Amino acid sequence: LHSRRAADFGGYEMKTTKEPQKDGLLNKADLAKRLACSSRTIDNWMKLGLLPYIKIGFSVRFYWPDVKTALAKYKVAEHED
């Protein structure tokens, strides 16, 4: 296998170890684990356009900072009692 530079993937850094990088690309299983939901939920959110993702061939990857930004749009404001 040849090493790929981040520039080859639009500036995104590819995950090269079993442990996902804090701000690198995540696969669907890693993202589901990080968000404490199922892979099916990730599929549904993708279909609804709620999660930004990157398609590389038949693979789907998620850039964690982009996911956090997208999910922040749905944060419910806290109210004081």
Side-chain angles (χ1 to χ4, degrees):
L1 293 181
H2 295 292
S3 172
R4 295 273 188 151
R5 297 176 314 188
D8 295 339
F9 296 102
Y12 296 112
E13 192 171 318
M14 291 296 293
K15 181 179 82 165
T16 56
T17 63
K18 288 283 185 190
E19 184 65 29
Q21 297 173 5
K22 185 175 182 181
D23 287 336
L25 292 175
L26 303 170
N27 63 29
K28 195 182 300 181
D30 291 334
L31 183 63
K33 184 182 292 186
R34 195 172 279 201
L35 295 176
C37 65
S38 69
S39 291
R40 183 68 181 144
T41 297
I42 300 298
D43 285 333
N44 291 336
W45 290 351
M46 289 170 58
K47 192 178 294 187
L48 292 170
L50 302 178
L51 289 176
Y53 60 93
I54 301 163
K55 190 122 166 102
I56 304 170
F58 292 104
S59 298
V60 173
R61 296 291 183 263
F62 303 87
Y63 186 56
W64 181 242
D66 290 349
V67 170
K68 287 193 313 185
T69 300
L71 293 178
K73 296 174 190 172
Y74 304 101
K75 183 176 180 179
V76 177
E78 295 179 24
H79 65 89
E80 295 183 27
D81 292 327

